[in-house]
Every structure is written in structure tokens, then in C-alpha cells.
Amino acid sequence: MSNKHIYNKVIGLALAVLTFAACSDTWNDHFEDKGKDMKDYTLWEGITQNSNLSNFAKVILGCGFDKSLSSSQVFTVFAPTNEHFSAQEADELIAAFNAEKGKVNINDNTVVKEFIHNHIAMYNHSIYETTNDSLLMMNGKKIKLTTSTFGNSTILTKNELYSNGVLFTIDGKADFAPNIFEYLRKDADLDSVTNFFYSDHFYRHEFIPGRSIPGGIVDGKTVYLDSVFVQRNDLFDFLNAELNEEDSTYWMVAPTNAAWKELLDEYQPYFNYDDQVKFRDSMVYTLPRLAIMEGTIFSRTLNTDTHLTDSALSTNAARTYVSRRYSWGNNNLHYYQYGGISATNTQKPFGPNGVFNGTENVPCTNGQVMKTDNWRINKLNTFYQWIIIEAENRGSIKEVSKTEDSKTKEEVGTIIPVTRRVMNNNPFYGKVWDDGYVEFVEATNNSRLQHSVTFNIEDVLSNIGYDIYLVTAPALANDSNATEAQRLPTRLHCEMNFHNQKGTTETVVFGDSITTTRDEVNYLLLAEDFKFPCCTYGLIEAEPQVTLTITTNVGRKETDTFTKTMMIDCIMLVPHGIAIVDEERFTIEPHGDGDIFYWLKK
């Protein structure tokens, strides 16, 4: 997911998630044997009249589900008998239900989800001699149903028909197996992750009146016999993973509470927005936590056992050249994936420093949760990214220097930006980033004027070090026959503008005499380990907080030595600790706890 969209998503994205909701139904839609030994009363009446189901009935009544089983909706119920479900167990479930009542949505109540909805399916489902299928229960679980068994339980009585459904009795409670999303709430070691995923910022239930059962009008308002809610969690969209989807299979690396605290303490300063940013509090809460969890989920569809011996591709990775360039600024950047052809053996997913090494794996219905105290996902592989501002890209240039036209008295640019391409037969092909740059051609002969261009810089993190480079191209990159005058070097002055905590602009000068070398792609280090006080990561800004202004600094008598024509390839903010090792490539050197080695061809 490109971080260009994070801001809007954090403050208001709504993702519809598959839910475990009830629907109205009729016998005529689903049962052809109406009238064959069918009682003329409801499932609830049938359950209460069966003395061997009194413990089950106690739970249904104690949790208020008797109203649904008395309605016109159609259900199939699998009820454990008293011999296999005791009065004490029933009382314990009712106490657990009441302990959560009013604190969580009714559909999230543990007893409702794991017991009541785990024993009831929508519509009627009779069994026959050939029955061998999986039955979708109200909580979304699929339980194996045969002619004689329901899950791990034996069916004692079957196909008892009532006016609104079918009743079975079984010799024990149906096992509840959580999916990844459900498991998070069960593990006290993962409370921090759970609180984030189940936060009101993202997780909610939306009432769907069109799918609910109306029961009449009271005081001018519709009263519903049964209400249908759609479960929504925006984080599933951020992470590109439906963690409550039973038909998908994922691995999720989850930090324990101790690891979460350590990571959050480190990451929070990186997402410090200035006081004037709209929805600042929401951004400050969400982004550090999202930074922890992005890149931690792996679809088993994409990550087969064979693939995982070498590399692991998370759901946040960009899988194609085009998507990598769009998301990260260069198609050789491989964020949110681990291992691969450029990795050392220690980086492979199951290697000594691999992301899966040393995890405690908990099986779930849709994969597994991989708990860990020892976090092995390095921020250089996830959110701490290169920022590459290609001069020729739309939106990169904020403005150029202007002067007053002597005739029209209007302001006109002193330079004209012209995009140049590097052809594949040119010696500099593959050495200029994206094989393109911008030549800022002088638009005036006034030798007293200096020229400047201001670039927008977006998505910076706060309080984290960047090495800032200005990359320039030689005239020969566009024209192998460039003249001596065109090939002259230039001398530049550079200033960076950025916001402080109050939201006002500060300026830092990077140098007055930054000089290029002729006939080379120049990597001019403007600043080393530079830290911005405020973050702009994910913001959509009409006026970006961070800009870099590049100005010529060539005297009137120096035009035979220097040119005022600037040829700018790109601006690069490189995470500190990544070094340029030669003119042909970049490499990430050992950094932090994990060794990260990969390279970028220019």
C-alpha cells in the first residue's frame, strides 16, 4: 500500500468485512418435506419441552437467544444433552456472558460466539444417508457434518422438524477453533496487539436494517426481533489480509507485550506530527502501531513451503516492478519481504536472524499466529524507507525563481525545466536514476541573476536520521556531442525548509559552495544523519512542509568556469547507515540487530 493513501485511510476508511450475521428465511425456500412429522410449534418450545436439554436451554435463555429461536427465522440447532453438558457448565457460561455483557458487542461476546453461535446454523439442514459436508455455523465456522457426527460429537437424535427449523441432539459441546483474529483475544501475551486490532479506531459493527427482522413499530420506531450487524475492521485493508476469513490461510508474526512495548517506545518518536496537522492525535496513535504490524502477515497462497526456504513475501510487499516503483520510488526496492537472492543465509526466513526464527507457533483455523519476544523484522525492511524525489516526476517541482518581464511587467521564470531522457545507446544509460533528469535552461541573459528551483519532499519521518543527497546528471547523458560550455560544472547553494512542532517553518543551509564534477553523475552529500523534528509520513499536502531549494552560486566573472544551467537527476533521503560504495550501485551495510544486504542499481 502506497503511503500516499495512509492519511485518508487513517481518518476514515470503511472496509466491509465478511460477517457472521443472521438472515430471515422461510421453510418454502429451503425444505421440501414440510409437513412430514413437523411440530406446529417453534424450536424454542421444542427445546424447553425436552427435559434432557434443560442445561442447554438455560444458557439460551440466560443469554437472550430464546427470542430468536421463537421467531419466524429458520435455524438448525445442535444441542448437547444434559449427560454431556452439565448444569455447572451452563451456569459458568451464563456468568461469563454477563461478565462481558455491555462491555463488548453482543456478537463478540465469548459465550455467544463460541458456544451459542457455534451450535446453531442459519436455515434448515437435515441429514440423509449420503450426508458428508461442512456446515456453516452462525459464527462463521465450518463444522463437519455426516450422517452420524457433528464435528467431534456423535449425533444422538436427528431431523426433528419444527415450525422454524430442525433440532439435533449431540453427545458433547462442539469444539470452537479460533481463527487468527479471534485467537488474539485469547492470548494474554498478545494483549497489546489485541487492543490495537480491536480498538474503536478500526473495529466496529454496523447495523444492517435491510437484513434484520422487524417486529413492529413502537413510539414511531421499528423494533427488530433480530438485528443483523456487519463486522468491519479497517486494519484488514491496511494489512491486505482478511484475518477473520476462514477460507484464507495466513501466518502472522505477532510481538508479545514485552516486544510490543519496546517497539512502540522506539517507533513513537518517528511519527511526531506538528501541532497544526489535522487529525494529529489519530495519526500519532495509529502510525507507530501500524509500523509494527505492517509486513508481519504472510499469505500461504503466495508463500509455499518451497518459497519460504529462501524468502518470505508479506501481504504488504509490492510484487511487481511497476508496483514497486509506484510504491517505493524504484523497482529494485523490496520492502516488506525478507530473504531472497540478495540475502545472506542468516536472513532467510528460518535462518538464525530470519523473521520466523524462534517463534512460538499457535495453529488457527486460517493459519497460525507466530508469537515472539525477539523481534527480527528490521525497520529498514519496512517503514524506514528511501525517499527518492525524481526531478522529472509530476509534483516534484514546487516552483522556480522568477523575475519581472521588462515589457509585460509580469513575473516569469528565470529558468525553464526541460525533461531529458537517457537513451539506451548512451554510456550513462542505467547510471541516471530512472534514465531521466531535468535540465533547467536559462530563460534570460541577465548575468546578475542566480537561478533556483524548489522541490517538494514528502513522507519524511521525524527524529530518525537521513543522509540527504542531491544527484546531478552530466550534459553528456542526453547529448554525447555536448559542447565544452554545456559540460561545465556548476556551483550550488542548498537550503532545506521544514516545520517545527508549532507548525512554523525553519530553514537550514546545507552549503554555499556545493560543486559538481563535469561529465559525471554526482552524488552530492548535503547532510548526514539529518533528523526532522516533525513527521509528514502519509500526509496529503497542498503545500508540503518539507522543501529543498537549490540555487546557482556562480559569479559574473566565473561563467567561463561554471555554468548556471542545472541538470538535476533526483534528491534522495537515504536512511542513515546505508552507504554508496561505488558509482554503479548502492548497498545496505550491516545495521542494527539484523544484517541487511541488498543493492540498488542506479
Side-chain angles (χ1 to χ4, degrees), residues 380 384 465-467 528-529 574-579 587-591:
L380 284 168
Y384 187 16
Y466 290 103
D467 296 337
E528 187 173 4
D529 199 17
V574 181
H576 184 62
I578 300 176
T587 185
I588 295 182
E589 296 184 335
H591 188 98

Side-chain angles (χ1 to χ4, degrees), residues 296-324:
T296 65
I297 300 169
F298 304 83
S299 168
R300 292 290 275 139
T301 302
L302 299 176
N303 295 276
T304 65
D305 289 344
T306 300
H307 290 144
L308 288 174
T309 60
D310 182 67
S311 64
L313 189 75
S314 81
T315 56
N316 288 111
R319 289 185 288 155
T320 67
Y321 287 108
V322 172
S323 60
R324 285 199 294 270

Side-chain angles (χ1 to χ4, degrees), residues 27-264:
W27 274 106
N28 290 335
D29 292 332
H30 291 275
F31 200 67
E32 297 178 356
D33 293 331
K34 181 181 179 181
K36 291 185 179 180
D37 301 321
M38 186 184 76
K39 281 71 170 182
D40 60 357
Y41 46 89
T42 66
L43 277 166
W44 176 239
E45 291 173 294
I47 291 171
T48 56
Q49 290 177 20
N50 187 335
S51 61
N52 202 24
L53 297 180
S54 60
N55 296 332
F56 180 74
K58 181 189 291 188
V59 177
I60 296 295
L61 181 64
C63 297
F65 203 75
D66 56 303
K67 299 180 181 63
S68 295
L69 294 183
S70 300
S71 71
S72 60
Q73 290 180 280
V74 177
F75 300 97
T76 297
V77 178
F78 295 85
T81 60
N82 290 350
E83 290 87 347
H84 307 284
F85 179 56
S86 68
Q88 180 180 346
E89 289 178 292
D91 291 338
E92 289 172 352
L93 286 176
I94 294 171
F97 170 83
N98 289 327
E100 292 186 11
K101 186 177 180 180
K103 298 177 181 179
V104 299
N105 184 280
I106 187 65
N107 293 310
D108 281 334
N109 189 290
T110 302
V111 177
V112 172
K113 174 174 281 190
E114 298 185 9
F115 181 79
I116 294 177
H117 285 179
N118 205 46
H119 288 82
I120 302 175
M122 294 301 304
Y123 317 131
N124 71 81
H125 301 275
S126 295
I127 59 175
Y128 305 93
E129 292 181 359
T130 58
T131 298
N132 186 10
D133 203 354
S134 292
L135 185 60
L136 183 66
M137 310 309 291
M138 287 188 67
N139 58 8
K141 300 297 177 182
K142 290 182 178 179
I143 297 182
K144 186 74 172 177
L145 180 63
T146 71
T147 56
S148 60
T149 61
F150 173 68
N152 294 325
S153 300
T154 298
I155 295 174
L156 302 177
T157 63
K158 61 183 179 182
N159 297 349
E160 295 182 16
L161 311 181
Y162 294 87
S163 63
N164 64 340
V166 185
L167 177 64
F168 293 76
T169 62
I170 55 178
D171 70 348
K173 293 188 298 182
D175 293 332
F176 177 86
N179 58 43
I180 290 174
F181 186 54
E182 292 163 340
Y183 175 77
L184 296 178
R185 300 182 71 186
K186 292 180 168 296
D187 194 328
D189 290 339
L190 301 178
D191 283 348
S192 298
V193 176
T194 302
N195 290 338
F196 181 50
F197 272 84
Y198 283 88
S199 164
D200 290 341
H201 286 74
F202 305 105
Y203 181 62
R204 61 194 178 278
H205 291 81
E206 293 183 3
F207 175 57
I208 310 298
R211 293 171 57 189
S212 301
I213 306 300
I217 305 295
V218 177
D219 297 331
K221 295 182 179 180
T222 302
V223 176
Y224 292 88
L225 296 176
D226 191 59
S227 300
V228 176
F229 290 84
V230 174
Q231 184 186 54
R232 300 193 187 278
N233 194 313
D234 298 342
L235 285 178
F236 294 158
D237 185 60
F238 281 114
L239 301 172
N240 299 319
E242 302 291 337
L243 295 179
N244 66 343
E245 176 56 69
E246 300 285 337
D247 292 330
S248 300
T249 305
Y250 300 103
W251 286 0
M252 177 182 184
V253 181
T256 60
N257 295 332
W260 177 277
K261 183 181 185 306
E262 184 177 335
L263 288 166
L264 194 59

